[in-house]
Amino acid sequence: PASVGDWGVKFRYRNQLCIIKGTENEIINYAANCIGCQLDFVPEPENIYDEAAIAIFLGGKKLGYIYKSDSAYRMIPTWIKSGMLYCGYLSNYDESNSKLYYDIGFYKKDE
C-alpha cells in the first residue's frame, strides 16, 4: 500500500524469490495460490552460508531467501535496527519459468 497509518512508502522493490534448492516443486505448489499474501522477512545470523541472509516466510513456511544482489538484502537489517516499517507480499507467479516474485515497501513516518 502507498501508506500504512501515518507511515508513507518511501521505497518499493519487486524481485524474484531465491527458492531453497531441492524444494522448488513443493514451494511452487504451496505458494502459487497465495499471490497477494503477506510475507515475513527474517534475518538469519546463524546461517552457515551467509550470516547476513534474509529468509522469506509465507504463513510460517520458509520459501527461500532474498538474493544478495537485491538492494532489499542490505536495506532490511538497517530498517529493522532503526525501527522503520517495511512489509512485503507475494506478487506474482510466472508459470512459464516457475518463478515467484515479491514486492516489498519501506515506509517512513510522514512529517
Side-chain angles (χ1 to χ4, degrees):
S3 64
V4 177
D6 59 350
W7 294 74
V9 70
K10 298 303 174 192
F11 308 100
R12 186 173 291 152
Y13 296 98
R14 170 174 280 175
N15 211 336
Q16 179 183 327
L17 187 121
C18 179
I19 297 176
I20 303 166
K21 291 282 186 211
T23 65
E24 293 91 348
N25 290 337
E26 175 189 343
I27 296 299
I28 295 296
N29 290 337
Y30 175 74
N33 296 315
C34 297
I35 302 306
C37 293
Q38 184 173 338
L39 299 171
D40 294 311
F41 300 87
V42 180
E44 282 190 349
E46 73 286 351
N47 187 303
I48 61 172
Y49 301 105
D50 177 9
E51 64 188 31
I54 306 290
I56 301 174
F57 287 81
L58 171 64
K61 182 174 184 66
K62 187 188 295 186
L63 301 181
Y65 293 90
I66 293 179
Y67 281 104
K68 284 183 179 183
S69 59
D70 187 340
S71 54
Y73 175 85
R74 292 175 301 285
M75 289 182 70
I76 288 176
T78 301
W79 285 63
I80 289 172
K81 288 177 190 170
S82 68
M84 296 295 188
L85 177 65
Y86 68 93
C87 64
Y89 62 94
L90 200 56
S91 59
N92 189 32
Y93 168 57
D94 185 343
E95 288 185 59
S96 68
N97 62 11
S98 296
K99 303 287 184 191
L100 290 167
Y101 296 86
Y102 66 90
D103 280 17
I104 186 168
F106 294 89
Y107 296 80
K108 287 189 177 180
K109 278 199 174 197
D110 293 330
E111 311 238 353

